[in-house]
Amino acid sequence: MAGISSGALFRLTLAGEKVVHATSSNLSISLSTTETASKDIGGGNWTQVTPDKLSFSGSCELLHSYDDTIDSEARIDVEGLFDAITARVGVAAVWTNSITGDVEYSGTVFLTSLEQSFADGENATASFQITGSGALSKATIA
C-alpha cells in the first residue's frame, strides 16, 4: 500500500460482478452529528457537537452497454442495474483494486437512482447512485 493509488485500478462490484465499462466511481463516508451547544457552553457563540451515526454512499459512471460478459467474465450492465433498482433489494458492493495487501471496502447498498444519457454524436452513458445499509467494512486484500 505504498505510494499513490491509481484510480484506474479501483473497481466497484455489485453482487459479485464488476460494473461493465465503468469510467469512474466514488465512495463517500459520513458522520452525522448532533448539536449540543447551549448558552452555558462557549457563551452561545460556538457550535458544539457530539458524533451520531455513520453512513456511506457511492456513485458510478459508465459507458452505456448491454455487455454482461467480457472475456468470459460476468459483468453487471445497464440492464442489470435496472433490475437491481426495480427489485428494491440490497446488494453487496465492494470497492477494490484487487492488489494483495491493499485495502478494500464492502457493504450492502441499495441502488437509489439510475440515469441514462443518449446525446447525439456521443457515446451513450449511464450513472447510478447507491446508498449503504448497515456498516461499511474495511479489509486487507488477501
Side-chain angles (χ1 to χ4, degrees):
M1 207 158 98
I4 297 171
S5 298
S6 170
L9 298 177
F10 277 86
R11 296 298 301 253
L12 171 60
T13 64
L14 295 174
E17 296 181 1
K18 293 177 184 174
V19 176
V20 71
H21 298 300
T23 57
S24 69
S25 64
N26 80 34
L27 168 63
S28 177
I29 305 166
S30 300
L31 171 66
S32 65
T33 58
T34 301
E35 187 170 329
T36 57
S38 70
K39 293 178 183 179
D40 298 321
I41 299 172
N45 294 323
W46 292 95
T47 300
Q48 184 165 339
V49 299
T50 56
D52 201 3
K53 295 180 181 179
L54 290 164
S55 63
F56 70 98
S57 62
S59 65
C60 186
E61 296 179 353
L62 58 143
L63 297 174
H64 192 284
S65 174
Y66 295 113
D67 292 332
D68 62 358
T69 304
I70 295 179
D71 298 330
S72 301
E73 184 178 323
R75 309 278 176 117
I76 190 163
D77 60 7
V78 173
E79 187 176 7
L81 294 169
F82 176 86
D83 293 344
I85 196 169
T86 58
R88 301 170 45 154
V89 296
V91 296
V94 179
W95 288 263
T96 184
N97 65 8
S98 300
I99 297 174
T100 301
D102 278 7
V103 172
E104 66 182 13
Y105 301 92
S106 61
T108 300
V109 299
F110 286 87
L111 272 80
T112 54
S113 74
L114 173 61
E115 182 176 322
Q116 301 177 58
S117 179
F118 311 105
D120 185 33
E122 297 181 14
N123 289 326
T125 60
S127 63
F128 62 90
Q129 304 286 324
I130 51 181
T131 300
S133 179
L136 179 68
S137 300
K138 178 180 83 166
T140 301
I141 301 169

